[in-house]
Amino acid sequence: MSIIEIIVLALIQGLTEFLPISSSAHLILPSQILGWQDQGLAFDVAVHVGSLAAVVIYFRQEVKTILAAMFKQVISKEASSEANLGWLVALATIPALLFGLAFKDIIEVYARSTAVIATTTIVFGLLLWWADVKAKQTVSMQMLGWQKALIIGIAQAIAMIPGTSRSGITITAGLMLGLSRSEAAKFSFLMSIPIILIAGSYHTLKLATGTEAVDWNAIILGTSLSFISAYACIYFFLAVIEKMGMLPFVIYRLLLGGVLIALMM
């Protein structure tokens, strides 16, 4: 890959991993418009590592508190709201794992077309708008309960369909279940940690057992840019989400879906 390709793709990954605008919809544009080739497994692993590092470092205090509380509960049976939140995040991860094991190959073959991505970008964008308008915003993360956490987890599983947006659909589900915008976003970000870690580990194993050559300069640059853009994205999103709402992202998704449809004509 050229330096320009590395920079553009890493920034796209970092920004769109956590904004509710669909990373797959954006990653298809360079290949459709500029004819760029697939970035390869090694680079894909690198940019996901950058995104994972960003969310873990941003929420480092919360992650440390949650893990310590979960460990304490296992050892001494001492329950706490922090431990409960950790178990809710773990529970919400399970549907995506099961869905991935069952349908990954089918999605790779039949659901990565421009038509599918354009459709899901628009449809789930409108659903995000509806959820934001109707949201009661009266529930905190600690008040979710296992049933609501599982529903958000099922939403995350649906995000395996390209164009849906993992952050977009989990925030949508959180809003529908009464979370505030910031609480829905935070729960979505915390949910991203185990799912990105598992996906990254899976791809790393494939890379280690494969024969793909590794361009270490591209890996280092891609990881760094993905980290910087993802961290900035999380900071910006949480800083403005309560005042700005979801409408700007909805409008952007509708425009992006329209561009993808135009490319098919």
Side-chain angles (χ1 to χ4, degrees), residues 201-249:
S201 300
Y202 169 75
H203 288 306
T204 300
L205 180 62
K206 286 181 64 178
L207 182 64
T209 56
T211 58
E212 180 179 331
V214 177
D215 182 347
W216 289 107
N217 290 327
I219 295 300
I220 294 170
L221 181 57
T223 302
S224 301
L225 290 175
S226 176
F227 167 79
I228 293 169
S229 58
Y231 192 94
C233 168
I234 296 170
Y235 178 86
F236 162 78
F237 190 66
L238 291 177
V240 304
I241 191 60
E242 289 294 351
K243 295 180 180 179
M244 187 171 62
M246 297 296 169
L247 185 58
F249 303 103

Side-chain angles (χ1 to χ4, degrees), residues 71-187:
F71 182 76
K72 189 174 184 179
Q73 184 174 4
V74 170
I75 298 300
S76 63
K77 309 300 181 183
E78 183 177 334
S80 65
S81 60
E82 292 82 5
N84 181 62
L85 179 58
W87 297 122
L88 292 179
V89 170
L91 175 64
T93 304
I94 294 174
L97 296 180
L98 298 178
F99 191 86
L101 289 172
F103 298 107
K104 180 181 182 299
D105 292 338
I106 296 175
I107 290 172
E108 287 290 335
V109 174
Y110 298 106
R112 298 197 67 84
S113 68
T114 305
V116 170
I117 294 175
T119 302
T120 51
T121 297
I122 292 171
V123 169
F124 286 104
L126 291 173
L127 188 60
L128 175 62
W129 169 77
W130 182 84
D132 191 41
V133 170
K134 298 295 183 180
K136 294 181 179 179
Q137 303 193 54
T138 57
V139 179
S140 68
M141 290 187 292
Q142 288 78 7
M143 295 168 59
L144 275 177
W146 70 266
Q147 299 97 330
K148 291 182 178 180
L150 190 59
I151 291 172
I152 300 175
I154 293 171
Q156 180 170 246
I158 296 172
M160 287 194 65
I161 301 172
T164 303
S165 171
R166 192 209 63 82
S167 61
I169 194 169
T170 51
I171 291 173
T172 297
L175 291 171
M176 287 181 173
L177 294 171
L179 288 173
S180 68
R181 292 165 180 156
S182 59
E183 289 283 280
K186 287 178 183 178
F187 192 71

Side-chain angles (χ1 to χ4, degrees), residues 24-35 252 256 259-260 263:
S24 54
H26 286 79
L27 290 172
I28 199 175
L29 288 175
S31 62
Q32 288 287 327
I33 297 174
L34 303 173
Y252 182 83
L256 178 61
V259 170
L260 292 174
L263 289 173

